[in-house]
Amino acid sequence: MATASDIEKAAEVLRAGGLVALPTETVYGLGANAEDPAAVTRIFQVKGRPPSHPLIVHISGAEHLDDWVEEVPATARLLAEHFWPGPLTLVLRRGRRVPLEATGGLETVAVRVPDHPVALALLSAFGGGVTAPSANRFGSVSPTTADHVRAELGDAVDFVLDGGPCGVGVESTIVDVTGETPSILRPGGVTRENLEAVLGCPIEVPSTSHVRVPGQHPSHYAPRARVVLVEPEKVVAEAGHAQELGHQVGVFLPPAFADAPVKAHAVVALPESMDAYARGLYGFLRELDQQGCDLIVASLPAEKGLGLAIANRLRRAAGPRSSE
Protein backbone atom coordinates (compact mmCIF):
# COMPACT_ATOMS: atom_id res chain seq x y z
CA MET A 1 0.00 0.00 0.00
CA ALA A 2 1.11 3.55 -0.72
CA THR A 3 3.01 5.34 2.05
CA ALA A 4 3.32 9.06 2.78
CA SER A 5 6.70 9.08 1.02
CA ASP A 6 5.16 7.32 -2.00
CA ILE A 7 2.48 10.02 -2.18
CA GLU A 8 5.05 12.83 -2.00
CA LYS A 9 7.15 11.14 -4.69
CA ALA A 10 4.04 10.82 -6.90
CA ALA A 11 3.30 14.54 -6.40
CA GLU A 12 6.87 15.34 -7.48
CA VAL A 13 6.42 13.20 -10.60
CA LEU A 14 3.27 15.15 -11.48
CA ARG A 15 5.03 18.50 -10.95
CA ALA A 16 7.80 17.33 -13.29
CA GLY A 17 5.31 16.51 -16.05
CA GLY A 18 5.25 12.76 -15.45
CA LEU A 19 2.44 10.22 -15.32
CA VAL A 20 1.20 8.61 -12.10
CA ALA A 21 -1.23 5.70 -11.80
CA LEU A 22 -3.46 6.40 -8.82
CA PRO A 23 -6.23 4.45 -7.11
CA THR A 24 -9.75 5.79 -6.86
CA GLU A 25 -12.89 4.18 -5.53
CA THR A 26 -13.96 3.42 -9.12
CA VAL A 27 -10.92 2.26 -11.12
CA TYR A 28 -7.22 3.15 -11.25
CA GLY A 29 -6.51 6.33 -13.17
CA LEU A 30 -3.57 7.43 -15.30
CA GLY A 31 -2.87 10.87 -13.90
CA ALA A 32 -1.10 13.99 -15.16
CA ASN A 33 -0.98 17.64 -14.15
CA ALA A 34 -4.24 18.99 -15.56
CA GLU A 35 -2.61 22.34 -16.36
CA ASP A 36 0.33 20.88 -18.31
CA PRO A 37 -0.67 20.37 -21.98
CA ALA A 38 2.42 18.28 -22.73
CA ALA A 39 1.77 15.92 -19.80
CA VAL A 40 -1.91 15.64 -20.74
CA THR A 41 -0.95 14.85 -24.33
CA ARG A 42 1.31 12.06 -23.07
CA ILE A 43 -1.73 10.38 -21.45
CA PHE A 44 -3.32 10.08 -24.88
CA GLN A 45 -0.10 8.69 -26.35
CA VAL A 46 0.37 6.06 -23.64
CA LYS A 47 -3.25 4.92 -23.76
CA GLY A 48 -3.56 5.11 -27.56
CA ARG A 49 -6.60 7.28 -26.91
CA PRO A 50 -7.99 9.60 -29.62
CA PRO A 51 -7.21 13.22 -28.66
CA SER A 52 -10.86 14.17 -29.21
CA HIS A 53 -11.90 12.09 -26.18
CA PRO A 54 -12.06 14.37 -23.12
CA LEU A 55 -10.51 13.54 -19.76
CA ILE A 56 -11.83 14.01 -16.22
CA VAL A 57 -10.14 16.56 -13.98
CA HIS A 58 -9.85 15.26 -10.42
CA ILE A 59 -9.75 17.83 -7.62
CA SER A 60 -9.34 17.51 -3.87
CA GLY A 61 -12.65 19.03 -2.77
CA ALA A 62 -15.85 20.73 -3.88
CA GLU A 63 -14.53 24.03 -2.54
CA HIS A 64 -12.07 24.09 -5.47
CA LEU A 65 -14.68 23.60 -8.20
CA ASP A 66 -14.90 27.33 -8.98
CA ASP A 67 -11.19 27.31 -9.82
CA TRP A 68 -11.73 24.97 -12.77
CA VAL A 69 -15.04 25.95 -14.35
CA GLU A 70 -16.62 29.11 -15.72
CA GLU A 71 -19.64 28.99 -13.44
CA VAL A 72 -21.28 26.56 -11.04
CA PRO A 73 -25.07 26.27 -11.41
CA ALA A 74 -27.16 25.57 -8.31
CA THR A 75 -27.85 22.02 -9.52
CA ALA A 76 -24.13 21.31 -9.72
CA ARG A 77 -23.53 22.61 -6.21
CA LEU A 78 -26.38 20.50 -4.88
CA LEU A 79 -25.00 17.33 -6.49
CA ALA A 80 -21.45 18.09 -5.36
CA GLU A 81 -22.67 18.65 -1.81
CA HIS A 82 -24.40 15.26 -1.71
CA PHE A 83 -22.04 13.04 -3.71
CA TRP A 84 -18.49 14.41 -3.36
CA PRO A 85 -16.15 12.82 -2.59
CA GLY A 86 -17.65 10.00 -4.63
CA PRO A 87 -18.15 8.37 -8.04
CA LEU A 88 -19.93 11.34 -9.65
CA THR A 89 -18.49 13.49 -12.46
CA LEU A 90 -20.06 16.82 -13.38
CA VAL A 91 -19.78 18.33 -16.86
CA LEU A 92 -19.60 22.14 -16.73
CA ARG A 93 -18.31 25.05 -18.80
CA ARG A 94 -14.52 25.03 -18.98
CA GLY A 95 -12.58 27.55 -16.91
CA ARG A 96 -9.41 29.19 -18.22
CA ARG A 97 -7.26 26.98 -16.02
CA VAL A 98 -8.16 23.90 -18.06
CA PRO A 99 -6.27 23.45 -21.36
CA LEU A 100 -8.19 22.30 -24.41
CA GLU A 101 -5.93 19.24 -24.55
CA ALA A 102 -7.72 17.96 -21.44
CA THR A 103 -11.22 18.54 -22.84
CA GLY A 104 -10.77 17.05 -26.29
CA GLY A 105 -11.12 20.54 -27.73
CA LEU A 106 -14.49 21.13 -26.06
CA GLU A 107 -15.55 24.18 -24.08
CA THR A 108 -16.89 21.87 -21.38
CA VAL A 109 -14.89 20.07 -18.72
CA ALA A 110 -15.65 16.97 -16.63
CA VAL A 111 -14.72 17.32 -12.93
CA ARG A 112 -14.95 15.09 -9.88
CA VAL A 113 -13.63 14.53 -6.35
CA PRO A 114 -12.57 10.87 -5.88
CA ASP A 115 -13.47 9.03 -2.69
CA HIS A 116 -10.19 7.28 -1.97
CA PRO A 117 -7.75 8.27 0.78
CA VAL A 118 -4.67 7.77 -1.40
CA ALA A 119 -6.10 9.79 -4.29
CA LEU A 120 -7.19 12.60 -1.96
CA ALA A 121 -3.80 12.63 -0.24
CA LEU A 122 -2.06 12.88 -3.62
CA LEU A 123 -4.33 15.71 -4.79
CA SER A 124 -3.70 17.56 -1.55
CA ALA A 125 0.08 17.06 -1.73
CA PHE A 126 0.17 18.06 -5.39
CA GLY A 127 -1.99 21.11 -4.83
CA GLY A 128 -3.71 21.12 -8.21
CA GLY A 129 -5.97 19.21 -10.55
CA VAL A 130 -5.09 15.83 -12.06
CA THR A 131 -6.50 14.55 -15.34
CA ALA A 132 -6.91 10.81 -14.94
CA PRO A 133 -8.69 8.47 -17.37
CA SER A 134 -8.55 4.76 -16.58
CA ALA A 135 -4.99 3.42 -16.52
CA ASN A 136 -5.27 0.98 -19.42
CA ARG A 137 -4.97 0.91 -23.20
CA PHE A 138 -7.83 2.69 -24.91
CA GLY A 139 -10.95 0.53 -25.23
CA SER A 140 -9.71 -2.35 -23.08
CA VAL A 141 -10.81 -3.51 -19.63
CA SER A 142 -10.36 -0.89 -16.90
CA PRO A 143 -7.91 -1.72 -14.07
CA THR A 144 -9.14 -2.18 -10.50
CA THR A 145 -5.79 -3.13 -8.91
CA ALA A 146 -2.26 -1.77 -9.18
CA ASP A 147 -1.17 -5.10 -10.66
CA HIS A 148 -3.63 -4.63 -13.52
CA VAL A 149 -1.95 -1.29 -14.30
CA ARG A 150 1.56 -2.70 -14.18
CA ALA A 151 0.61 -5.67 -16.37
CA GLU A 152 -0.94 -3.48 -19.07
CA LEU A 153 1.09 -0.27 -19.11
CA GLY A 154 4.41 -1.33 -17.59
CA ASP A 155 7.19 1.25 -17.81
CA ALA A 156 4.99 3.71 -19.70
CA VAL A 157 3.83 4.90 -16.26
CA ASP A 158 6.42 6.84 -14.27
CA PHE A 159 5.03 5.87 -10.85
CA VAL A 160 2.27 3.57 -9.59
CA LEU A 161 0.51 4.26 -6.29
CA ASP A 162 -0.96 1.07 -4.82
CA GLY A 163 -4.17 1.75 -2.92
CA GLY A 164 -5.51 -1.80 -2.93
CA PRO A 165 -8.54 -3.06 -4.89
CA CYS A 166 -11.07 -0.44 -5.97
CA GLY A 167 -14.20 -0.44 -3.83
CA VAL A 168 -16.78 0.48 -6.47
CA GLY A 169 -15.25 -1.14 -9.54
CA VAL A 170 -17.02 0.74 -12.34
CA GLU A 171 -16.32 4.27 -13.45
CA SER A 172 -18.07 7.37 -12.15
CA THR A 173 -21.49 8.49 -13.29
CA ILE A 174 -21.16 11.46 -15.63
CA VAL A 175 -23.91 14.09 -15.38
CA ASP A 176 -24.23 17.02 -17.77
CA VAL A 177 -25.27 20.13 -15.81
CA THR A 178 -24.62 22.69 -18.56
CA GLY A 179 -28.25 22.95 -19.63
CA GLU A 180 -31.58 23.59 -17.97
CA THR A 181 -32.13 19.90 -17.21
CA PRO A 182 -29.35 17.57 -16.00
CA SER A 183 -28.87 14.26 -17.79
CA ILE A 184 -26.74 11.15 -17.27
CA LEU A 185 -24.18 10.83 -20.06
CA ARG A 186 -22.55 7.71 -18.59
CA PRO A 187 -24.11 5.50 -15.89
CA GLY A 188 -21.72 4.65 -13.09
CA GLY A 189 -21.13 4.38 -9.36
CA VAL A 190 -23.83 6.89 -8.35
CA THR A 191 -27.15 5.42 -9.43
CA ARG A 192 -29.93 7.14 -11.32
CA GLU A 193 -32.16 6.55 -8.30
CA ASN A 194 -29.62 8.28 -6.03
CA LEU A 195 -29.58 11.32 -8.28
CA GLU A 196 -33.34 11.52 -8.63
CA ALA A 197 -33.78 11.35 -4.86
CA VAL A 198 -31.56 14.41 -4.42
CA LEU A 199 -32.89 16.37 -7.41
CA GLY A 200 -36.53 15.56 -6.72
CA CYS A 201 -37.26 14.90 -10.38
CA PRO A 202 -36.66 12.25 -13.06
CA ILE A 203 -33.29 12.34 -14.81
CA GLU A 204 -32.82 11.18 -18.39
CA VAL A 205 -30.19 8.79 -19.71
CA PRO A 206 -30.01 9.75 -23.40
CA SER A 207 -28.61 7.15 -25.81
CA THR A 208 -26.63 9.87 -27.59
CA SER A 209 -25.38 13.30 -26.60
CA HIS A 210 -23.76 16.29 -28.30
CA VAL A 211 -21.37 16.43 -25.33
CA ARG A 212 -18.45 13.99 -25.73
CA VAL A 213 -17.51 12.17 -22.53
CA PRO A 214 -15.34 9.16 -21.60
CA GLY A 215 -16.70 5.68 -22.30
CA GLN A 216 -18.88 6.55 -25.31
CA HIS A 217 -16.85 4.67 -27.91
CA PRO A 218 -18.92 1.90 -29.60
CA SER A 219 -16.46 -0.71 -28.31
CA HIS A 220 -15.10 0.01 -24.85
CA TYR A 221 -14.21 -1.80 -21.61
CA ALA A 222 -13.52 -4.81 -23.84
CA PRO A 223 -11.52 -7.97 -23.06
CA ARG A 224 -9.58 -9.76 -25.78
CA ALA A 225 -12.35 -12.37 -25.96
CA ARG A 226 -15.46 -11.50 -27.93
CA VAL A 227 -18.46 -10.82 -25.68
CA VAL A 228 -21.88 -12.13 -26.71
CA LEU A 229 -24.99 -10.96 -24.86
CA VAL A 230 -28.09 -13.15 -24.67
CA GLU A 231 -31.17 -13.42 -22.47
CA PRO A 232 -30.41 -14.90 -19.01
CA GLU A 233 -32.29 -18.12 -19.69
CA LYS A 234 -30.24 -18.67 -22.88
CA VAL A 235 -26.77 -18.28 -21.35
CA VAL A 236 -26.24 -21.99 -20.60
CA ALA A 237 -27.47 -23.20 -23.99
CA GLU A 238 -25.53 -20.54 -25.92
CA ALA A 239 -22.34 -21.38 -24.04
CA GLY A 240 -22.73 -25.11 -24.71
CA HIS A 241 -23.42 -24.54 -28.40
CA ALA A 242 -20.38 -22.27 -28.81
CA GLN A 243 -18.17 -24.75 -26.94
CA GLU A 244 -19.32 -27.53 -29.27
CA LEU A 245 -18.36 -25.34 -32.23
CA GLY A 246 -14.79 -25.23 -30.93
CA HIS A 247 -14.71 -21.99 -28.99
CA GLN A 248 -12.98 -21.65 -25.66
CA VAL A 249 -16.04 -20.30 -23.91
CA GLY A 250 -16.19 -18.25 -20.75
CA VAL A 251 -19.57 -17.82 -19.05
CA PHE A 252 -21.02 -15.18 -16.76
CA LEU A 253 -23.50 -17.44 -14.98
CA PRO A 254 -26.48 -15.53 -13.51
CA PRO A 255 -27.35 -16.35 -9.88
CA ALA A 256 -30.72 -17.80 -10.91
CA PHE A 257 -28.90 -20.52 -12.87
CA ALA A 258 -26.10 -21.18 -10.39
CA ASP A 259 -26.94 -24.90 -10.16
CA ALA A 260 -27.27 -25.46 -13.91
CA PRO A 261 -24.66 -27.73 -15.55
CA VAL A 262 -22.60 -25.68 -18.02
CA LYS A 263 -20.42 -26.89 -20.87
CA ALA A 264 -17.71 -24.24 -21.03
CA HIS A 265 -13.99 -23.67 -20.72
CA ALA A 266 -14.41 -21.38 -17.69
CA VAL A 267 -17.35 -20.20 -15.59
CA VAL A 268 -17.77 -17.11 -13.42
CA ALA A 269 -20.64 -17.52 -10.97
CA LEU A 270 -22.02 -14.01 -10.62
CA PRO A 271 -22.84 -12.64 -7.16
CA GLU A 272 -26.43 -11.73 -6.35
CA SER A 273 -25.41 -8.32 -5.02
CA MET A 274 -25.11 -5.62 -7.69
CA ASP A 275 -22.47 -3.91 -5.53
CA ALA A 276 -20.35 -7.07 -5.60
CA TYR A 277 -20.99 -7.57 -9.33
CA ALA A 278 -19.88 -4.02 -10.14
CA ARG A 279 -16.82 -4.35 -7.91
CA GLY A 280 -15.81 -7.59 -9.63
CA LEU A 281 -16.90 -6.95 -13.23
CA TYR A 282 -13.59 -5.95 -14.75
CA GLY A 283 -11.73 -8.57 -12.74
CA PHE A 284 -14.11 -11.24 -14.07
CA LEU A 285 -13.44 -10.15 -17.66
CA ARG A 286 -9.69 -10.17 -17.10
CA GLU A 287 -9.89 -13.60 -15.44
CA LEU A 288 -11.60 -15.15 -18.47
CA ASP A 289 -9.02 -13.58 -20.77
CA GLN A 290 -6.23 -15.04 -18.64
CA GLN A 291 -7.85 -18.48 -18.83
CA GLY A 292 -7.63 -18.37 -22.61
CA CYS A 293 -11.28 -17.81 -23.47
CA ASP A 294 -11.97 -16.49 -26.96
CA LEU A 295 -15.69 -15.94 -26.40
CA ILE A 296 -17.62 -14.79 -23.32
CA VAL A 297 -21.36 -15.41 -22.99
CA ALA A 298 -23.21 -13.08 -20.66
CA SER A 299 -26.60 -11.52 -20.04
CA LEU A 300 -27.56 -8.03 -18.96
CA PRO A 301 -28.71 -7.46 -15.37
CA ALA A 302 -31.89 -5.54 -14.60
CA GLU A 303 -31.11 -1.93 -15.43
CA LYS A 304 -31.82 -0.39 -12.08
CA GLY A 305 -29.38 0.73 -9.40
CA LEU A 306 -25.83 -0.31 -10.29
CA GLY A 307 -27.31 -2.75 -12.80
CA LEU A 308 -27.63 0.18 -15.22
CA ALA A 309 -23.88 0.83 -15.08
CA ILE A 310 -23.03 -2.87 -15.39
CA ALA A 311 -25.33 -3.26 -18.40
CA ASN A 312 -23.75 -0.18 -20.00
CA ARG A 313 -20.24 -1.66 -19.58
CA LEU A 314 -21.26 -5.06 -20.94
CA ARG A 315 -22.85 -3.48 -24.02
CA ARG A 316 -19.68 -1.48 -24.66
CA ALA A 317 -17.54 -4.57 -24.09
CA ALA A 318 -19.62 -6.45 -26.66
CA GLY A 319 -19.36 -3.58 -29.13
CA PRO A 320 -21.63 -3.23 -32.15
CA ARG A 321 -22.26 -7.01 -32.21
CA SER A 322 -23.99 -7.11 -28.83
CA SER A 323 -25.98 -10.29 -29.36
CA GLU A 324 -26.25 -13.38 -31.54
Side-chain angles (χ1 to χ4, degrees):
M1 294 288 287
T3 64
S5 61
D6 291 333
I7 289 166
E8 185 51 46
K9 180 176 179 180
E12 292 174 0
V13 169
L14 290 174
R15 295 187 194 105
L19 301 186
V20 172
L22 64 148
T24 76
E25 77 280 25
T26 57
V27 300
Y28 273 70
L30 181 61
N33 180 354
E35 297 179 81
D36 184 340
V40 172
T41 297
R42 191 174 158 213
I43 287 178
F44 289 95
Q45 294 169 344
V46 168
K47 283 179 62 69
R49 181 186 181 102
S52 60
H53 283 239
L55 307 178
I56 295 173
V57 176
H58 294 67
I59 60 177
S60 61
E63 66 272 18
H64 301 299
L65 182 57
D66 294 86
D67 298 337
W68 297 92
V69 302
E70 188 177 88
E71 61 177 337
V72 184
T75 298
R77 289 203 189 278
L78 177 64
L79 293 174
E81 176 185 338
H82 278 81
F83 296 110
W84 282 0
L88 176 70
T89 295
L90 299 177
V91 175
L92 295 151
R93 299 295 176 190
R94 178 180 71 96
R96 293 182 180 180
R97 197 170 176 178
V98 184
L100 287 171
E101 286 83 356
T103 67
L106 299 177
E107 288 300 329
T108 54
V109 61
V111 186
R112 90 175 185 100
V113 179
D115 188 14
H116 193 291
V118 173
L120 291 172
L122 173 62
L123 288 164
S124 179
F126 174 59
V130 172
T131 51
S134 56
N136 56 281
R137 302 294 179 187
F138 179 71
S140 67
V141 178
S142 301
T144 53
T145 69
D147 285 343
H148 292 165
V149 178
R150 296 186 184 102
E152 185 153 354
L153 297 182
D155 294 340
V157 183
D158 299 310
F159 195 73
V160 178
L161 280 174
D162 190 342
C166 297
V168 174
V170 293
E171 290 80 359
S172 61
T173 302
I174 299 179
V175 177
D176 180 10
V177 286
T178 60
E180 293 184 5
T181 305
S183 60
I184 296 174
L185 303 185
R186 180 181 72 182
V190 172
T191 68
R192 181 181 190 173
E193 293 84 352
N194 295 151
L195 294 165
E196 290 177 341
V198 169
L199 295 174
C201 63
I203 184 167
E204 295 299 317
V205 188
S207 56
T208 60
S209 170
H210 68 282
V211 180
R212 295 196 305 274
V213 295
Q216 285 184 324
H217 194 268
S219 181
H220 215 87
Y221 316 113
R224 291 190 299 273
R226 184 163 67 92
V227 177
V228 173
L229 301 178
V230 298
E231 295 299 320
E233 62 274 14
K234 296 181 180 179
V235 166
V236 172
E238 179 67 25
H241 177 64
Q243 188 76 13
E244 289 173 359
L245 290 176
H247 287 287
Q248 295 285 87
V249 179
V251 180
F252 274 18
L253 191 63
F257 300 92
D259 296 328
V262 186
K263 293 181 179 179
H265 179 68
V267 177
V268 170
L270 296 176
E272 293 190 16
S273 160
M274 285 296 107
D275 286 352
Y277 190 176
R279 193 162 49 247
L281 174 62
Y282 293 141
F284 298 154
L285 291 170
R286 287 176 179 274
E287 176 187 335
L288 293 181
D289 264 349
Q290 291 167 359
Q291 294 197 41
C293 296
D294 61 28
L295 187 146
I296 296 171
V297 179
S299 61
L300 299 178
E303 296 188 35
K304 58 184 180 181
L306 279 175
L308 178 63
I310 295 167
N312 171 270
R313 301 313 190 271
L314 287 173
R315 286 196 179 95
R316 298 290 180 179
R321 293 185 63 184
S322 62
S323 61
E324 290 291 281

